[in-house]
Amino acid sequence: KNQVEQSPQSLIILEGKNCTLQCNYTVSPFSNLRWYKQDTGRGPVSLTIMTFSENTKSNGRYTATLDADTKQSSLHITASQLSDSASYICVGAGNQFYFGTGTSLTVIP
Amino acid sequence: EAGVAQSPRYKIIEKRQSVAFWCNPISGHATLYWYQQILGQGPKLLIQFQNNGVVDDSQLPKDRFSAERLKGVDSTLKIQPAKLEDSAVYLCASRRLSGQSYNEQFFGPGTRLTVL
């Protein structure tokens, strides 16, 4: 069964701290792994897209990693800001897109 | 380039009423998706169009939901009659071509539907 699981479900961190979000995926055939940021009341916005041959990709303070052998990905946020408060969704792409349920991140001052 | 446009942004209806949502994808994007996102969950695909043809509607509750993309550009999603469990955000997304799986998918702001 194709599925994507994310952890933790929610996370609260202090402004300026780092955090890492986790994603385990079972998608076959597998094409790429995506991370999206979804602000409250908005549609998801793409952060990174990685194929199975890529093991890391950065977008500013966001760095995603991919281990195709263990089928795990992580999203690391460095020096968090209040504007990072959002839901982060992991998506496995194969014949179609498989969405995780997201990690809700709250950054507090 | 302009993003994916959706309207209305919010809609409140009573159960058993009908409702329609509209989506205008990014110009030149052949593939259009409708997703349902229930609070606290990830988006669930309802229907995927390639130009004006349906690629996947396997999760569309066809007894009450319908969608069309007659001219291969904008699209409408209709619910008739609505149920309480249809309360959700309805997201529209578009991509250049679905065959090239690396292509980015762009989402609209969504329509938040509340069924009372």
Side-chain angles (χ1 to χ4, degrees):
Chain A
K1 178 184 178 183
N2 292 304
Q3 62 183 19
V4 173
E5 296 179 339
Q6 293 187 242
S7 63
Q9 186 174 4
S10 61
L11 184 63
I12 300 174
I13 62 172
L14 290 173
E15 184 179 12
K17 297 296 186 181
N18 304 334
C19 67
T20 300
L21 314 180
Q22 302 290 343
C23 173
N24 294 333
Y25 65 93
T26 304
V27 175
S28 181
F30 175 74
S31 174
N32 56 79
L33 193 289
R34 302 162 182 237
W35 282 95
Y36 287 86
K37 178 187 179 188
Q38 185 173 24
D39 292 313
T40 300
R42 309 288 290 271
V45 174
S46 179
L47 293 175
T48 62
I49 303 175
M50 291 182 292
T51 66
F52 63 87
S53 61
E54 299 174 289
N55 55 23
T56 186
K57 183 164 281 189
S58 292
N59 178 356
R61 294 180 296 102
Y62 301 100
T63 299
T65 64
L66 177 65
D67 186 331
D69 291 330
T70 62
K71 295 181 170 56
Q72 294 179 327
S73 178
S74 65
L75 181 69
H76 185 76
I77 304 175
T78 304
S80 61
Q81 299 177 359
L82 298 178
S83 59
D84 293 330
S85 294
S87 179
Y88 292 83
I89 303 174
C90 177
V91 181
N95 291 331
Q96 57 179 281
F97 295 108
Y98 299 92
F99 289 78
T101 56
T103 292
S104 177
L105 174 66
T106 303
V107 180
I108 59 176
Chain B
E1 67 185 348
V4 177
Q6 290 188 247
S7 67
R9 291 295 314 277
Y10 305 92
K11 190 72 176 180
I12 300 175
I13 62 173
E14 295 186 348
K15 60 182 179 183
R16 290 188 290 274
Q17 286 188 322
S18 301
V19 65
F21 313 127
W22 174 81
C23 172
N24 190 21
I26 293 173
S27 178
H29 282 196
T31 307
L32 185 147
Y33 307 81
W34 282 103
Y35 291 91
Q36 179 192 58
Q37 187 176 23
I38 294 173
L39 186 64
Q41 299 183 18
K44 168 191 164 185
L45 179 68
L46 292 175
I47 189 167
Q48 176 184 343
F49 292 96
Q50 178 91 347
N51 296 310
N52 60 352
V54 175
V55 174
D56 184 354
D57 63 355
S58 57
Q59 298 191 84
L60 186 74
K62 298 180 184 64
D63 57 333
R64 298 184 301 107
F65 286 65
S66 64
E68 60 183 16
R69 194 185 183 198
L70 292 176
K71 296 182 179 179
V73 181
D74 55 351
S75 176
T76 55
L77 176 69
K78 297 179 181 178
I79 307 175
Q80 179 180 7
K83 293 184 175 181
L84 296 177
E85 59 261 37
D86 298 332
S87 293
V89 174
Y90 291 84
L91 293 166
C92 179
S94 71
R95 291 171 74 199
R96 290 192 181 279
L97 284 172
S98 65
Q100 299 170 11
S101 59
Y102 199 80
N103 285 351
E104 190 168 337
Q105 191 177 49
F106 294 88
F107 286 84
T111 295
R112 180 176 296 278
L113 173 67
T114 301
V115 182
L116 303 175

